[in-house]
């Protein structure tokens, strides 16, 4: 029944099947919206955060999705600035993913703050020394950029194209893409870095605090690198997942390999720098502030295994896989590595957000634990559901994978 | 230029305006207003405005009676502070007192008479004062009936007030009337010495300013005892190496807050205070460390008295025996005895924990005896008798019922019991009162501003005014060697329906046909206080300290009784002249006390409280020991802001919670912060357990304190608190109970 | 209105831990002075609001060698690279150059709680619930301090209302500087043990400056380099190690898990 809205030359499942697919996600989204409403109307006591665990699941989610969403700007950068034409196959999908990740993050942030009505104060009375100010400015600007990048993809929809002015508008927008990609890259560099800086500047939390270059702590650069490495892998994973679920061939195999290789190169650099950073921190930064680093790992369950996992299991290992042409060519290895990379970036964000707050600073402090409430979990899942829904609609009605039509031809 | 304005133009205008609007201040101003609006909406409470002034009063939340400066807005107190020169500490008050002005708004406040619906666990329903007067006077009539052994009693936790005299006068109208002294006595040591004198000394106070050493058997000297400001001032050099400072040696089972700050803490096995006191006295006598001639001269029963020989008794508590009983090493006991002499003047105090109740008559006697042996009565740095308040009433003793102790009342004999509202700061176990009530339909009337503590178990609640709502007297703190007097003033008007206990008893008297003395007829307590103050002026004794200008005036120099009254009404305290001499008092005393079988009982309890000795350790291997904090033992309301201390920081544990040694807790399968079932012969209760190595192994320290629910509105509060698990000895002691514990 | 304080002050406290018995009077006085509402029914020690919180800390030894100390922890008023100031995205936190007091403007606060994550002393508190007083009790609020709403962060500001009142009194008396003792936070006034001494650390002759120089004085987490203005005094060496490494080892024994 909605055939007329779909991209010419590709097939999609029946409308009823599509309805069955989106129904549970919509339900999840509704539940999350209810949880968010509870938080708005009754306050953040609906969460299990507290004065000591001032940040919880949501901040972890924000940091992770924004890292994963880095694929959007990075692919844009590769395609439009470095002219890596073969990645055009995934650029549309990457933009949608980026938009989903960033808008989701901003939405959950609005629930997370105690006074969302005052969110604009940051623009009105900005504290230029705060990493969070930088993050707020860059993310909101970049979200606008993503929206503008998303717009032409929407306007290319078969039905919308029939409006002539839309077509003109879309054409004009398209010419802007190079500029947008450039702006997006700069903005993204800053906010990805600032998100890392967010924790790196916490001099009161020696577990997170890092020395750095000029005004930026080392986590600033590590976050950029890890996001750059994770972005392509996330695109790779989602593309594979969508192709599995829709049972369609969406891109040529070389694209996967290309994404993997780019990620691998960045990951090995990241792993190297992360190792250096960790060593400097263990032997210098942390003890100098009165906290020998071994202490951090004496609290169960956060033993030294977490360091090993972060650097070797989720860093070195996938980097080696991705850099090896032979392993990369093997779909199983490639996907495993991609999962490890995305998992690694999530683990890194988890360590910085959750472990930092769990560790005691005062001598009479205790090691704290925190378990999110159902409202927090529901809001978290709603963001996932939101992402799935936006992507599903985009996939069904928009041209996310230009190669799909060619590959579908017999 | 005659173009027609098209729809498109209008749309353009609208679009342009919408875009242009963002470049004007309008949206930004609107946003700003939104933020201001969110801060000032109806849902954000705003403080009251008005003229700020200071008013003065005295605290009645415990018998210490600190002077209070109330900062008021439009007459409404908004914060309380102490009187700097009086307390010697810039205006300190205790946490309970600092929230005194909130009590009027307590969530458990009662403002109309209540009657219990039926049964012990049922709820309360409103009634009229007439209902209560009728029921009570009928019940009182039955106690008067010939042959009835039933008693009519008033429990007065703050004796010595004008209202107390009226109670005694009222009770004298009943052949079976009993006027009851407080259930636990913070000044038990002093009173034990007073009662051991052959000729009465009068009330004793402590010459703390000249004392160098205090051996305290669990007296919470630094956590709410006597006059706290004075004790804090004296303890300034604590743990100092200097020789002159006041040294505190705290002997008690757990490490209390006083023990923590004391120079030394001696962990005593539960219930073994008598042994240590007797052991120390024994060393002093055996080693002749004291003036033996003076002791032999003054003590009736050092060698042989009607009750036996104190020396013989102490010989049974050699250092070795004492060490075995108390758990304190033999060397320590001997060196402590010597230190008491070498670092004199040293005094010994015992008991006074607001939750643990009395130490016991035997322990009190043993501690009093140790003080006598040290020659402490009437000496500098020891105990000095203080003068009585000026007499203002021709107190014909036949018209005033003498005071009795609840210990001496037979079980199941009280038919009508009135419980006065003014708190002593100490806990009252309901089981203790229940045991004394007749089995069939006793009538318990509680004068209380709150539905808390004893009130929860009463049949009737007469709503009484809270602190700062009524005139009340503040008498001498128990430790003071000089008599003092001040008034608590009504800074607030009580809500309608509230009844002064004074007025209510007068109504009952009329209904029951009791003729009160003329002094108590047609007067208010305030009139009587004024008469008392006029008497001060007539006696020309002492000085009066005015809070507002922080100045002291000799009573002699006050122009008239009226101007003296005016000073009291603006916040003032009267203090007697210091005693002229501190010469030893001639009266002889009994070391073994006056009770029958004193030596035998003392010897028996000397081996530890009988409850400790009684049970085979296998059934109830642990010992339950209650502890409390003055004014916060669940008997009365606390400011809801006290939740900062209890709920939001855990600085103090809530009533019913338990502390156990880490090893003990683990051995009994408990988890820190988790629930445990505590069982004794008297019952069982589930309590939250905190692991704490300041608690002796095998001991369960239970907190007698506020229930979390009582801070929050419309919550049912259980009237039977943790004290219901405590074993009640025949002598009214509940501080040690054999118990066991298991995880839930 | 002119500010009478011309000279730059650096207000601070010295808290004698050997005199603190954890009675709670300071916490109570603080809440009363600053219109901090009573706890919500569901509040815990991790969601409550206690601008000044007294912690109990022990040496980890077994009975009878176990010793505890009570540590009152208000905002430590960090004087250098104040961790909470630089992180706030909208300048709701500032350091008053005239007094050195770290101020919090709840009206400006967005409730992002970044400052709470930044504070190593956990001296910042979030309003998880609406501030509610039992009926009638709002009449007992202090007119010098505005109440806060749900969703914002608040903390100790050395009783800012009292500073203003003291300055007004001084100005009325024609003085442009405050005399020692004229301005004292509520907790200092309320402490029955006189364990807290407050004053200007810049004034070499003040009692607070003299005590802060004593060898028994230390600051918590001094090595972080944030120059807190709360000093603690103790003659018990195990307590003094609070700011040193060893304690970090000792505390592991107390915590299980």
């Amino acid at each position: 029944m909605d055939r007329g809205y779909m991209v010419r030359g590709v097939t999609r499942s029946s409308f009823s099947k599509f309805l069955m697919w989106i129904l549970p996600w919509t339900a999840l989204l509704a539940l999350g919206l209810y949880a968010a409403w509870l938080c708005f109307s009754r306050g953040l006591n609906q969460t299990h955060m507290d004065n000591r665990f001032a940040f919880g699941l949501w901040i972890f989610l924000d940091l992770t999705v924004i890292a994963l969403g880095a694929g959007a700007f990075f692919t844009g950068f590769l395609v439009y600035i470095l002219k890596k034409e073969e990645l055009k196959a995934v650029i549309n999908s990457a933009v949608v993913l980026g938009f989903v990740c960033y808008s989701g993050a901003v939405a959950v942030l609005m629930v997370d703050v105690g006074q969302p009505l005052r969110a604009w104060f940051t623009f009105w009375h900005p504290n230029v020394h705060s990493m969070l100010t930088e993050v707020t400015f860059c993310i909101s600007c970049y979200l606008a950029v993503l929206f503008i990048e998303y717009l032409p993809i929407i306007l290319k929809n078969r039905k919308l194209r029939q409006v002539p002015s839309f077509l003109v508008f879309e054409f004009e927008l398209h010419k802007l893409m190079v500029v947008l990609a450039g702006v997006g890259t700069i903005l993204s560099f800053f906010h990805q870095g600032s998100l890392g800086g967010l924790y790196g500047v916490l001099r009161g939390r020696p577990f997170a605090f890092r020395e750095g270059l000029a005004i930026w702590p080392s986590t600033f650069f590590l976050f950029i690198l890890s996001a750059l490495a994770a972005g392509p892998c996330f695109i790779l994973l989602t593309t594979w997942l969508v192709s599995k679920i829709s049972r369609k061939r969406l891109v040529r195999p070389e694209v996967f390999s290309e994404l993997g290789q780019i990620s691998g190169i960045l990951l090995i650099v990241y792993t190297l720098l992360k190792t250096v950073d960790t060593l400097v921190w263990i032997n210098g930064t942390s003890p100098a502030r009165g906290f020998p680093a071994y202490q951090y790992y004496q609290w169960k369950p956060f033993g030294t295994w977490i360091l090993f996992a972060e650097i070797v299991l989720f860093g070195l290992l996938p980097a080696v896989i991705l850099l090896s042409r032979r392993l990369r060519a093997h779909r199983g290895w490639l996907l495993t590595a991609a999962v490890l990379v995305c998992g690694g970036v999530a683990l890194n964000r988890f360590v910085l957000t959750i472990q930092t707050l769990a560790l005691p600073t005062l001598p009479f402090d205790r090691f704290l634990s925190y378990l999110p409430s159902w409202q927090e979990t529901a809001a978290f899942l709603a963001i996932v559901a939101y992402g799935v829904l936006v992507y599903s609609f985009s996939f069904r009605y928009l041209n996310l994978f230009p190669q799909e039509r060619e590959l579908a031809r017999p | 230029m005659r173009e027609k304005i098209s729809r498109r133009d209008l749309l353009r205008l609208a679009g342009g305006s919408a875009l242009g609007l963002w470049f004007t201040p309008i949206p930004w101003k609107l946003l700003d207003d939104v933020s201001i609006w969110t801060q000032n909406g109806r849902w954000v409470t705003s403080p009251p405005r008005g003229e700020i002034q200071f008013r003065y009063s005295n605290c009645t939340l415990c018998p210490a009676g600190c002077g209070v400066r109330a900062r008021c807005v439009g007459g409404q107190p908004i914060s309380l502070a102490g009187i700097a020169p009086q307390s010697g500490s810039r205006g300190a008050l205790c946490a309970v007192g600092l929230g005194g002005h909130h009590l009027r708004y307590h969530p458990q406040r009662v403002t109309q008479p209540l009657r219990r619906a039926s049964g012990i666990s049922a709820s309360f329903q409103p009634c009229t004062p007439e209902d209560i007067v009728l029921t009570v006077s009928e019940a009182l009539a039955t106690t008067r009936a010939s042959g009835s052994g039933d008693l009519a009693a008033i429990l007065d936790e703050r004796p010595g007030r004008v209202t107390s005299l009226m109670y005694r006068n009222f009770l004298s109208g009943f052949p079976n009337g009993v006027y009851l002294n407080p259930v636990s006595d913070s000044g038990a040591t002093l009173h034990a010495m007073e009662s051991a004198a052959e000729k009465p000394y009068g009330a004793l106070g402590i010459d703390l300013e000249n004392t160098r050493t205090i051996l305290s058997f669990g007296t919470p000297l630094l956590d709410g005892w006597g006059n706290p400001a004075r004790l804090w001032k004296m303890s300034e050099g604590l743990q100092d190496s200097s020789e002159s400072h006041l040294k505190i040696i705290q002997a008690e089972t757990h490490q209390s807050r006083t023990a923590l700050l004391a120079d030394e803490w001696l962990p005593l096995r539960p219930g073994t205070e008598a042994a240590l006191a007797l052991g120390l006295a024994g060393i002093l006598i055996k080693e002749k460390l004291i003036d033996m001639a003076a002791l032999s001269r003054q003590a009736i029963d050092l060698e042989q008295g009607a009750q036996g020989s104190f020396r013989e008794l102490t010989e049974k508590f050699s250092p070795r025996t004492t060490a075995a009983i108390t758990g304190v090493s033999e060397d320590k006991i001997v060196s402590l005895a010597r230190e008491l002499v070498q670092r004199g003047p040293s005094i010994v105090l015992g008991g006074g924990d607001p939750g643990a109740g009395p130490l016991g008559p035997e322990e009190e006697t043993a501690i009093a005896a140790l003080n006598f042996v040290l020659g402490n009565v009437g000496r500098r740095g020891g105990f000095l008798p203080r003068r009585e308040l000026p007499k203002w009433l021709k107190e014909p003793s036949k018209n005033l019922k003498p005071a009795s102790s609840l210990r001496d009342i037979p079980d199941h004999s009280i038919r009508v019991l009135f419980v006065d509202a003014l708190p002593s700061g100490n806990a009252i176990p309901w089981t203790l009162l229940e045991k004394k009530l007749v089995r069939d339909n006793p009538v318990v009337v509680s004068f209380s501003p709150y539905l808390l503590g004893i009130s929860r178990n009463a049949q009737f609640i007469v709503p009484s005014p809270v602190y700062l709502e009524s005139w009340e007297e503040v008498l001498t703190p128990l430790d003071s060697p000089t008599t003092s007097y001040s008034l608590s003033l009504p800074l607030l008007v009580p809500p309608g329906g509230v009844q002064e206990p004074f007025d209510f008893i007068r109504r009952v008297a009329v209904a029951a046909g009791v003729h009160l003395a003329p002094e108590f007829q047609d007067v208010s307590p305030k009139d009587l206080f004024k008469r008392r103050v006029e008497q001060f002026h007539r006696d020309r004794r002492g000085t009066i300290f005015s809070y507002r200008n922080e100045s002291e005036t000799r009573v002699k120099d006050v122009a008239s009784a009226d101007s003296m009254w005016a000073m009291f009404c603006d916040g003032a305290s009267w203090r007697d002249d210091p005693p002229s001499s501190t010469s030893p008092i001639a009266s002889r005393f009994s070391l073994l006390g006056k009770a029958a079988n004193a030596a035998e009982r003392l010897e028996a309890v000397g081996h530890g409280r009988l409850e400790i000795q009684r049970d085979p350790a296998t059934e109830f291997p642990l010992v339950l020991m209650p502890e409390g904090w003055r004014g916060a033992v669940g008997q009365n309301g606390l400011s809801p802001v006290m939740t900062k201390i209890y709920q939001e920081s855990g600085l103090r544990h809530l009533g019913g919670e338990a502390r156990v040694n880490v090893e003990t807790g683990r051995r009994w399968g408990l988890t820190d912060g988790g629930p445990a079932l505590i069982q004794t012969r008297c019952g069982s209760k589930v309590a939250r357990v905190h692991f704490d190595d300041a608690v002796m192994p095998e001991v369960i320290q239970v907190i007698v304190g506020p229930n979390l629910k009582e801070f929050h509105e419309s919550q049912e509060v259980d009237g039977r608190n943790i004290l219901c698990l405590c074993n009640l000895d025949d002598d009214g002691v509940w501080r040690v109970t054999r118990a066991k514990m298991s995880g839930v | 209105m002119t500010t009478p304080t011309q000279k730059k002050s650096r207000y601070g406290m010295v808290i004698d831990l050997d005199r603190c018995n954890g009675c709670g009077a300071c916490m109570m006085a603080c809440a009363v002075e600053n219109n901090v509402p009573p706890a919500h029914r569901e509040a815990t020690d991790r969601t409550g609001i206690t601008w000044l919180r007294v912690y109990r800390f022990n040496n980890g030894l077994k009975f009878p060698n176990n010793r505890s100390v009570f540590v009152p922890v208000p905002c430590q008023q960090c004087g250098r690279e104040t961790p909470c100031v630089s992180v706030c995205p909208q300048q709701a936190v500032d350091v008053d150059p005239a007094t050195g007091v770290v101020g919090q403007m709840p009206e400006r606060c967005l409730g992002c709680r970044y400052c709470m994550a930044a504070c190593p002393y956990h001296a910042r508190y979030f309003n998880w619930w609406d501030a509610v007083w039992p009926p009638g009790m709002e009449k007992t609020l202090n007119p010098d301090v505005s109440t806060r709403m749900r969703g914002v962060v608040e903390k100790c500001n050395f009783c800012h209302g009292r500073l203003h009142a003291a300055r007004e009194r001084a100005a009325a008396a024609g003085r442009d500087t405050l005399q020692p003792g004229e301005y004292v936070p509520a907790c200092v006034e309320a402490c029955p043990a006189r364990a807290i001494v407050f004053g200007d650390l810049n004034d070499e002759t003040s009692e607070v400056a003299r005590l802060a120089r004593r060898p028994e004085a230390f600051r918590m987490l001094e090595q972080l380099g944030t120059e807190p203005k709360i000093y603690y005094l103790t003659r018990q060496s195990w307590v003094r190690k609070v700011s040193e490494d060893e304690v970090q080892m000792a505390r592991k024994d107390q915590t299980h898990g």
Side-chain angles (χ1 to χ4, degrees), chain C residues 9-240:
Chain C
S9 303
R10 199 163 60 91
Y11 287 112
M13 274 180 190
V14 177
I15 303 178
D16 189 344
L17 300 180
D18 295 346
R19 289 190 64 71
C20 177
N21 78 342
C23 73
C26 53
M27 288 178 67
M28 190 67 195
C30 168
V32 171
E33 172 73 24
N34 293 299
N35 294 340
V36 181
H40 185 271
R41 191 169 302 198
E42 287 156 31
T44 66
D45 66 336
R46 280 167 66 173
T47 47
I49 302 179
T50 47
W51 288 16
L52 170 64
R53 179 163 170 191
V54 182
Y55 290 85
R56 185 175 155 206
F57 170 51
N58 70 57
N59 62 359
L61 299 179
K62 289 196 189 325
F63 186 95
N65 297 317
N66 187 277
R67 289 290 175 280
S68 299
V69 67
F70 291 96
V71 190
V73 182
C75 167
Q76 306 282 304
Q77 311 288 357
C78 298
R80 198 171 136 255
E81 294 178 329
T82 312
C84 54
V85 172
S86 59
V87 299
C88 177
Q90 39 208 13
Q91 303 189 46
V93 192
D94 65 356
V95 180
D96 182 350
T99 58
V101 176
V102 180
Q104 171 81 19
M105 283 171 272
E107 304 78 15
R108 175 74 66 79
C109 176
L110 144 94
C112 73
R113 305 184 297 285
Y114 189 17
C115 54
M116 299 177 75
C119 177
Y121 301 102
H122 318 305
R124 307 185 133 265
Y125 298 87
F126 185 73
N127 283 272
W128 298 98
W129 287 273
D130 285 303
V132 176
W133 282 265
M137 215 176 112
E138 68 283 344
K139 284 189 285 233
T140 66
L141 294 180
N142 181 1
D144 295 346
V145 179
S146 55
T147 58
R148 280 76 54 191
M149 62 186 306
R150 187 178 85 196
V152 299
V153 175
E154 57 185 74
K155 70 162 195 77
C156 160
N157 52 22
F158 276 170
C159 291
H160 203 243
R162 286 185 172 225
L163 173 65
H164 273 294
R167 280 176 174 169
E168 273 174 33
R169 276 197 305 272
R175 281 181 285 117
D176 62 354
T177 49
L178 295 180
Q179 285 163 355
E182 203 169 9
Y183 154 51
V184 165
C187 56
V188 180
E189 180 183 280
C191 178
R194 306 190 72 163
I196 315 178
V197 174
F198 177 81
D200 183 0
L201 289 164
N202 276 351
D203 177 2
E204 289 291 304
T205 58
S206 67
E207 195 190 358
V208 71
R210 190 178 56 76
L211 290 173
R213 286 194 299 268
R214 289 252 298 257
E216 308 96 275
F218 71 95
R219 287 177 291 179
M220 278 197 289
L221 306 179
E222 211 161 346
Q223 288 193 70
L224 292 181
T226 58
E227 295 289 327
K229 289 194 277 288
I230 309 289
Y231 290 78
Y232 293 92
L233 276 186
T234 179
R235 278 165 294 197
Q236 306 174 68
S237 56
W238 71 270
V239 179
R240 209 154 41 238

Side-chain angles (χ1 to χ4, degrees), chain A residues 34-288:
Chain A
Y34 173 66
W37 180 77
L38 283 180
C39 292
F40 285 135
S41 62
R42 297 187 191 172
L44 288 175
N45 52 65
Q46 299 294 308
T47 71
H48 282 177
M49 287 186 280
D50 54 49
N51 293 330
R52 301 291 307 280
F53 252 106
F55 290 164
L57 178 68
W58 291 339
I59 293 286
F60 160 68
L61 170 84
D62 283 339
L63 261 65
T64 307
V65 296
I66 286 182
L68 297 176
F73 92 82
F74 190 46
T75 315
F77 173 73
L78 292 172
V79 171
Y80 296 111
I81 316 271
L82 295 189
K83 307 285 178 204
K84 283 212 174 274
E85 294 293 327
E86 59 274 31
L87 291 183
K88 266 204 165 145
V90 290
I91 183 73
N92 286 357
S93 169
V95 165
V96 177
L97 282 177
F99 179 78
V100 161
C101 286
Y102 277 79
S103 54
V106 170
V108 87
L109 257 179
M110 285 300 103
V111 188
D112 199 359
V113 297
Q115 285 293 333
L117 281 178
R118 300 181 187 170
W120 59 278
F121 280 23
T122 306
F123 301 97
W124 206 237
H125 318 277
N127 174 12
V128 292
H129 304 291
S130 174
M131 287 287 167
L132 199 53
T133 308
E134 211 169 306
V135 170
T136 314
F137 272 83
C138 292
I139 288 190
S140 35
C141 292
Y142 183 54
L143 186 57
V145 169
L146 276 171
F147 180 71
I148 300 170
E149 288 184 340
Y150 190 15
L151 215 53
I153 304 174
I154 299 172
L155 295 178
K156 268 194 214 148
N157 173 278
R158 199 158 131 194
K159 269 273 145 63
L160 293 177
R161 279 168 83 110
Q162 292 167 2
V163 183
S165 53
F166 279 2
L167 206 60
V168 176
F169 186 51
E170 188 264 312
F171 184 73
E172 294 296 323
L173 274 179
H174 207 83
K175 288 196 283 193
L176 265 178
M177 276 307 148
V178 182
V179 183
L180 287 177
V183 172
T185 305
I186 293 166
L187 288 173
S188 296
F189 257 83
F190 270 98
H191 73 246
Q192 292 288 356
S194 298
L195 280 173
L198 219 56
Y199 281 85
V201 296
L202 297 183
R203 55 186 59 256
R205 297 279 188 173
F207 178 74
F209 182 73
R210 295 291 190 282
E211 308 280 357
L213 298 172
I215 58 165
W216 295 295
S218 64
T219 44
F220 184 93
F221 307 100
L222 290 175
F223 259 55
I224 297 177
L225 269 174
S226 55
L228 290 182
C233 277
F234 188 59
I235 294 175
L236 191 159
L237 270 183
T238 42
T239 310
W240 175 79
L241 210 61
V242 173
S243 117
K244 273 283 146 195
I245 293 170
S246 63
R247 301 205 196 95
K248 302 270 176 332
R249 291 180 63 206
L250 301 174
V251 295
R252 295 203 185 86
E254 308 90 79
V255 177
F256 282 117
S257 180
E258 176 83 29
L259 285 169
Q261 192 186 8
I262 293 166
S263 179
I265 295 164
L266 289 160
L267 193 62
I268 196 77
V269 178
Y270 165 74
T271 309
L272 220 83
L273 290 179
K274 169 82 187 166
T275 312
V276 173
D277 174 66
T278 307
L279 288 173
V280 170
W281 169 70
I282 289 176
N283 296 305
T285 321
S286 183

